[in-house]
């Protein structure tokens, strides 16, 4: 009985100390987007056209063009339980992508408010 109580106590402590997974969808500024990426790397996707992506993107982003005929299948390759960070040029395409991801059951989505335009205006780094 003593071992059982100790095991339950240990489990309760581990559960209480475990980082709580955020849920839902957030639209955040470039500063907050960058900070959240640092705190929880997650999965970063750029939903712009490949040409736009090649001209400059956020370091570590995977290009999943929203209007590609395989977009939904490519989304299925992502982990729905892990945070997904999404952006486009100005925000319209990422908003569409967020709707699709929500319908597919993604648990936590962080959208860059104003897209890469806002990211660049904030002086944040891009990779080529």
């Amino acid at each position: 009985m003593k071992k059982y109580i100790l095991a339950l106590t240990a489990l309760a402590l581990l559960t209480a100390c475990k980082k709580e997974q955020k849920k839902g969808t957030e639209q955040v500024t470039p500063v907050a987007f960058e900070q959240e990426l640092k705190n929880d790397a997650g999965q970063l996707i750029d939903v712009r056209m490949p040409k736009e992506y090649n001209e400059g993107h956020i370091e570590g982003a995977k290009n999943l063009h929203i209007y590609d005929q395989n977009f939904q299948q490519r989304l299925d390759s992502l982990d729905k339980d892990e945070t997904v960070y999404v952006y486009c040029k100005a925000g319209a395409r990422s908003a569409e992508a967020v709707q699709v991801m929500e319908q597919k059951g993604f648990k936590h989505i962080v959208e860059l408010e104003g897209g890469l335009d806002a990211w660049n205006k904030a002086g944040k780094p891009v990779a080529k």
Side-chain angles (χ1 to χ4, degrees):
M1 182 69 165
K2 215 176 202 183
K3 286 182 183 180
Y4 180 72
I5 292 172
L6 285 174
L8 283 177
T9 303
L11 181 61
L13 286 172
L14 285 173
T15 303
C17 293
K18 184 179 175 186
K19 180 181 167 190
E20 188 172 317
Q21 175 74 25
K22 288 185 178 181
K23 293 186 178 173
T25 301
E26 301 176 72
Q27 188 177 56
V28 299
T29 65
V31 171
F33 194 82
E34 182 179 49
Q35 189 60 48
E36 287 204 36
L37 270 171
K38 285 179 183 176
N39 293 339
D40 176 17
Q43 307 163 102
L44 176 60
I45 63 168
D46 179 327
V47 296
R48 300 175 302 150
M49 294 177 6
K51 181 180 184 224
E52 294 173 290
Y53 175 85
N54 291 332
E55 290 171 354
H57 56 272
I58 298 174
E59 184 72 42
K62 182 177 182 179
N63 187 217
L64 273 68
H65 180 221
I66 188 164
Y67 300 129
D68 184 342
Q69 65 184 16
N70 297 323
F71 178 70
Q72 294 212 21
Q73 290 89 353
R74 293 186 72 197
L75 277 181
D76 289 337
S77 70
L78 300 176
D79 184 345
K80 292 178 182 169
D81 294 323
E82 190 176 340
T83 300
V84 177
Y85 299 90
V86 61
Y87 70 93
C88 64
K89 182 182 184 314
R93 289 176 282 182
S94 61
E96 286 182 57
V98 164
Q99 287 181 343
V100 173
M101 288 187 281
E102 287 173 338
Q103 290 170 353
K104 286 186 160 287
F106 282 83
K107 303 268 189 302
H108 184 223
I109 306 163
V110 180
E111 181 184 7
L112 176 58
E113 183 179 309
L116 201 61
D117 286 349
W119 182 266
N120 288 329
K121 189 174 181 180
K124 302 298 179 188
V126 294
K128 291 191 179 186

